[in-house]
Amino acid sequence: MRIRSITTRLAVPLVLVSLIAAGCSQGEESAGEGEAALGATSDINPKDVSELRDGGNLRLAAGALPQNWNNLHSDGGDAGTGSLLRPVMPRAFTTDASANLSVNTDYFTDIQLTGTDPQQVTYTINPKAVWSDGTPITWEDLQSQANALSGRDKAFLLSNNSGFDRVEKVERGVDDKQAILTFSKHYADWRGQFAGNSFLYPKTATATPEAFNKSQVDALGLSAGPFIVQSVDRAQGRVVLGRNPKWWGATPKLDTITFSVLDNAAMLPALQNNEIDAIGLANRDELKTASSTPGIAIRRAPGNQWSHFTFNGAPGSIVAEPGVRVAISKAIDRQGIANAIQNGMVADPKPLNNHVYLAGQKGYQDNSLGFDPSAAAQELDALGWKLNGDVREKDGRKLEIRDVMYNQDVWVQIAQIIQQNLAQIGVELTIETKAGQGFFTDNIQPGNFDVGQWSWVGDPFPLSSLNQIYGYNPDDIQGNYGRIGSPELNALIEQTVSELDPAKAVELANQVDRKVFEEGHSLPLLQSPGNLAARDTLANFGAPGLASYDYTKIGFVK
């Protein structure tokens, strides 16, 4: 499952997938550090818990408070909400620095593929696992979530069905602490159904559309992590997580984790002023400033967040015609964008050339259409969009497109480069910046854009997002905010996510990717460098590489 992000930074890095090393180049901006070796280590200042002091408050920045605390809901599937939920909600698997999956034994003692014809997966729940009110976590919680995400009842407003449309039934196993999922058809990314960027919720939150859609708009309900939501102050824009008194696992070193909503421009000054303890670094100027700040260390591991340029293909949109979208894509100099944005942040800036796999991940290959402004101009001519002065027109309508993005310097800089590129072929781009609060619910989800810029944040289950983002189902948009697709692409996605042979699935996924380019759905831009600035006394937190955090071990050195 992929979740969305409005920023080109991540204050709290999420689980990463298998990427190439892309650390900072040596020199002034890199503060004397070398490149990160991804797939081998994490850069989190690892310390044994005996070296950490008991207590303390980890202070982090947030771009906005959640629109919905249910990250399974269409309003809750974003990176900011995910960051808040990771310390408080169950997930089925954890990953190490090499992206190897392990059962998250705090919640499950065993998870096995126990059949292939039909496909069956058996989850055995930790006997000690309880919700924050002391209610046991049982098979009924998994059953209720599977039913909600099945898509059978369109009243559930889903961020992603996570393959539960393929689950025929969920049954009780040997006791209430075991659930058996039986699939009606194969699902390749079954391990990600309660993992990655998706959490397990209690049945009280998923039993009905009313509970699913509305019960967690204002506050999180029951949770089950080492921390719980202690307070939410919407006036001050602050969320405080405290230790969960019902937690059965290792006692956290921290007392609290505080998230404060800050404007993007205020985040680095807040770090410098000792008001927060860590931020993602969006550009080389921030990297240079953070590197020279006393008490701040730079942590490096390439990120799984990637920026893109998504078109609105809905009827009536200025870019509803596929050929127009493809021509515009060919006119954008993504290598130029990479050079401008990431020089000094990574050793060899490159654009991202795949919608499914990140650079260095098994399966990654360049399926893009290339940079060819001459061809782009010719294709627009052939489609009837003729130059009239500096801007093309057709049937009295100018080829002017609105580019909507979060108000952040890096996003604006990217848009300005694209604006210059498109002006060369007679396309006028207007830059519209928006506030973080309500960015998706007010702009992207309802289609209030011609093109939009935001980031997707991946996890180790890339196939699970194919239908979510690139499948076109008019009654179930999920993450396909541009409303672009075709029956042919839907069929190819279906074939891919049904393939249990990993090698064949990779081959099919790349066919999906090429088709996405050819339909002019969206244009991937850059993969995040993943650089993060953190208090140098902060341990077991930073740039995790391919690993997931253990929130019980994060703390400050004695």
Side-chain angles (χ1 to χ4, degrees), residues 7 27 41 63 73 157 163-164 182 186 224 272 274 282 365 412 423 541 554:
T7 70
T41 60
H73 186 275
L157 303 179
F164 285 107
T182 301
H186 287 166
Q272 292 179 288
N274 197 24
Q365 64 186 45
V412 173
F541 185 93
I554 297 170

Side-chain angles (χ1 to χ4, degrees), residues 93 103 110-124 179-183 185-191 193 499-502:
F93 289 93
V103 174
D110 190 48
I111 302 172
Q112 293 286 342
L113 180 66
T114 49
T116 58
D117 189 21
Q119 181 178 351
Q120 284 191 324
V121 178
T122 300
Y123 289 81
T124 303
I180 301 172
L181 277 64
T182 301
F183 292 72
K185 50 187 174 181
H186 287 166
Y187 183 54
D189 262 349
W190 59 269
R191 292 176 184 84
Q193 291 190 301
E499 181 54 66
L500 295 183
D501 183 316

Side-chain angles (χ1 to χ4, degrees), residues 2 306 353-357 470 513 516-517 521-524:
R2 285 192 174 139
W306 54 278
N353 292 311
N354 198 296
H355 294 85
V356 182
Y357 299 106
Y470 309 114
D513 179 52
V516 170
F517 275 111
H521 177 283
S522 53
L523 193 63

